[in-house]
Amino acid sequence: MIQLPPGLKKGDKIAIVCPAKKLKKPIDNALDILRGWGLEIVEGKSVQSGYHQFAGDDQLRTADLQQYLDDPEIKGIIAGRGGYGTLRIIDNLDFTNFLAHPKWVVGFSDITVLLSHILAQTNTASIHGQMPGTFEDASRESLESLRRALFNEGNTYDYSSSFPNRTGIAEGILAGGNLSILIALEGSVSAIDYKDKILFLEDVGEPEYSVDRMLRILIRSGKLNDLKGLIIGAFNEIPEEIIPFGQTPEEIIQELVKDYHFPVCYNFPCGHIADNRAMIVGKTCRLKVEGQEVSLIM
């Protein structure tokens, strides 16, 4: 059974850490938003640290995150930003005390490493959602979805896709995140089990051929055989190539999953975009796709 951490309450203490790259700029406004939700903020050493492109060296970032994983007074941990670096420290983290006192861990992009590892190794849910480093450009809806997820108030997302979906209804455990990170985790103890999952995928800065290759890796390894459903978020900031690939990421995915029978939706509001809605990794949810209309209930 996958356990959901307790919902936050006003007055709870949460920690901000940076397991990967260092912050580009101060996050004071984001912290004010979190305080406005009634939360007490503790900043880890990595928030103000730098070591080349990282938020401190590997030892500092590991110790910083470990401190708050262990501290029972800390009821949630939010990554300040993504970038690259979580993979360098994941195997040095100890989740024994975290299991005794589970708490929400939040982030996306490179933080998919941490979310996937937590699901695979502790059977505990976490949140793929906005981080303080992205609050400034975040939509009001995405921030509210994060607040609701943290406070265990539930979220329902309804929208219309501009790309042709595949109709169907599915119930299953939500899992996924950044596609290139999920591929990088394959073969490790941090890799998710795709069986009976509703899988959501997003990515940024990847050329179309790379998206094609990564999806084919999942297909050839049988990862999509027992999916309950597939949610495609934003695939954006695609670099222009001298010779075009000839298909968009959505067209690539549509072609590659045509022989499966699970529902598929596109243009879902998650990923490296302003409207990056909170997705609870590990929570059972219900996906309904009817024509261009999509509903996800968590």
Side-chain angles (χ1 to χ4, degrees), residues 43-181:
E43 292 186 46
K45 293 180 180 178
S46 56
V47 172
Q48 302 294 336
S49 297
Y51 179 76
H52 302 304
Q53 60 181 236
F54 303 109
D57 62 22
D58 292 351
Q59 290 73 28
L60 183 148
R61 300 194 325 278
T62 302
D64 206 30
L65 181 51
Q66 188 69 63
Q67 176 182 346
Y68 300 116
L69 287 170
D70 291 343
D71 189 344
E73 292 188 3
I74 297 296
K75 305 303 182 183
I77 301 172
I78 304 181
R81 66 160 296 184
Y84 171 68
T86 312
L87 189 65
R88 295 167 61 104
I89 69 172
I90 192 65
D91 292 323
N92 295 320
L93 295 169
D94 184 341
F95 289 85
T96 303
N97 292 327
F98 171 83
L99 272 171
H101 302 280
K103 61 194 75 178
W104 287 118
V105 175
V106 181
F108 74 103
S109 191
D110 188 71
I111 310 304
T112 297
V113 172
L114 187 55
L115 308 186
S116 181
H117 186 88
I118 288 172
L119 181 61
Q121 291 298 306
T122 76
N123 278 329
T124 303
S126 58
I127 300 173
H128 180 281
Q130 297 283 25
M131 302 175 286
T134 63
F135 271 27
E136 183 177 339
D137 298 319
S139 70
R140 181 178 59 184
E141 291 82 3
S142 68
L143 292 179
E144 174 61 10
S145 74
L146 175 58
R147 188 197 66 79
R148 292 182 63 86
L150 285 168
F151 284 78
N152 275 2
E153 295 179 5
N155 276 303
T156 298
Y157 304 139
D158 297 299
Y159 78 101
S160 296
S161 171
S162 62
F163 189 85
N165 298 318
R166 183 159 66 210
T167 294
I169 297 175
E171 290 191 6
I173 295 169
L174 190 66
N178 183 265
L179 175 58
S180 55
I181 295 294

